[in-house]
Amino acid sequence: MKFIISFILMALLSFVVCLFMPWYYIAVVCFLISATIQQKPGTAFVCGFLSLFALWAGLSFRISFLNDHILAHKISMVILKVDNPYLLIVVTGLIGAIVAGFASLTGSLFRNLIKK
């Protein structure tokens, strides 16, 4: 139950925070949620990783789908050297997921440190 609550909170609050703040504030959100809701460090990492991967990949797919993947084709050629917009969506999701996963891990370890 804690995993699902953390997953939803991380995704929703990260979305809201990114409307007003720079993208890297997802780390602050995930840190605070993991420091607040007690989970094992590995579970916290997975929760942060999956929630932000789902959020960022979903948002980038939606944006790309709405313009028929025109920009994603061009950007994937520039960055990845492959004409594959779906690979670009996965890479975009992984960037957010790695940042959020490590922030969640840090929040969980910080909670354990303070608790002792």
Side-chain angles (χ1 to χ4, degrees):
M1 190 66 176
K2 290 180 185 179
F3 185 87
I4 295 170
I5 292 171
S6 296
F7 183 92
I8 293 170
L9 278 176
M10 284 181 197
L12 286 177
L13 290 178
S14 293
F15 177 76
V16 171
V17 165
C18 283
L19 293 175
F20 304 105
M21 305 298 268
W23 71 270
Y24 49 83
Y25 272 82
I26 62 171
V28 175
V29 169
C30 292
F31 176 87
L32 291 175
I33 290 172
S34 291
T36 305
I37 299 174
Q38 183 179 3
Q39 291 180 348
K40 293 180 182 175
T43 306
F45 177 84
V46 170
C47 183
F49 186 91
L50 291 178
S51 67
L52 265 293
F53 181 81
L55 176 68
W56 276 30
L59 287 175
S60 63
F61 177 78
R62 181 180 180 273
I63 291 168
S64 183
F65 180 77
L66 290 177
N67 70 7
D68 295 326
H69 305 291
I70 294 171
L71 185 61
H73 280 289
K74 294 178 182 181
I75 296 298
S76 69
M77 284 299 294
V78 171
I79 294 177
L80 304 174
K81 309 292 186 215
V82 178
D83 187 16
N84 189 348
Y86 300 107
L87 183 60
L88 183 66
I89 290 168
V90 170
V91 169
T92 302
L94 284 175
I95 291 170
I98 290 169
V99 171
F102 282 117
S104 296
L105 176 66
T106 306
S108 178
L109 292 173
F110 180 74
R111 179 184 176 89
N112 291 344
L113 180 71
I114 295 300
K115 195 166 75 172
K116 290 182 180 179

